[in-house]
Amino acid sequence: MDAKNILIALSIKYNGDWTLIFNAVNQYRSLIDENELEAILNKTHCKAITILDSEYPERLRQVYRPPFVLFYQGDLSLLSNIDKCLAVVGSRKASEKFKVKTREIVKQLNNDILIVSGLAAGIDGVAHQAALDSGKKTIAVIGSGLNYCFPTENEELCSKIKKNNLVITEYPDNVPPKQENFPPRNRIIAGLSDVVLIPEAAKKSGSVITAGYAINLGKEILCLPSENFGDSACNLFLKEGARLVESADDVNDFFR
């Protein structure tokens, strides 16, 4: 069995758990039964690329614990031909004001800017939908296998993205959405992007985790100012040097 198929089979066997896959690779002789892995592959029909493939994005090789395998559905060329990529992440319980502002900004961005987000409720879903509505390309990075959509309210949106854009995950098809899967998912969003836009988020949120990964990679954070002075991650980031954004022009200027 070649190295690529070993990685895919191990990812399926260990439900995408990076540490278990790493340990198995490092202890090849004692932990890998090729007959078992062959049987796993024969029962699974999934599209996947590995860190060994030329299609694997160079951007992800730079992240903390780069995913060994990415399972996908949709247009894989979006992953291997990234030029300008904006991550848009934010509150799952976003206010209508910031949903409207996110939709407005994404729709007015230059069409050569790829939008990546996490397909979550709130800001993420709004960003994906606005990208589709305005003819832009979008990549959704999810924290479960491709057989699941979380939240269920985004099932139709997820199907649309799978059809003409791209949904990716490091978790094989049978892995349901779990809370512990989402923070690691965020490193992929940060890794693919050139810059992260946070329209609205609380101080304790997944958006802060995404921003942390991005900052560690030397990437900038763009934020909209908030009137919620007590619990705004955006205001906190702006105090610490993030770039203030008021319109799509501010984002377009960054990419120029």
Side-chain angles (χ1 to χ4, degrees), residues 17-19 56 60 62-68 170 187-188:
D17 186 301
W18 193 96
T19 300
Y56 191 92
L60 287 187
Q62 313 305 318
V63 305
Y64 173 70
R65 294 187 167 188
F68 292 109
E170 64 185 314
R187 82 194 192 287
I188 299 176

Side-chain angles (χ1 to χ4, degrees), residues 81-114:
N81 295 300
I82 296 175
D83 181 20
K84 301 174 182 177
C85 183
L86 175 71
V88 183
V89 296
S91 175
R92 286 176 168 80
K93 299 179 179 179
S95 63
E96 191 60 31
K97 172 185 175 181
F98 283 100
K99 286 182 181 179
V100 170
K101 193 65 177 176
T102 301
R103 189 177 297 114
E104 174 187 298
I105 288 175
V106 172
K107 283 188 173 183
Q108 294 176 5
L109 290 173
N110 295 335
N111 279 344
D112 61 346
I113 297 175
L114 172 71

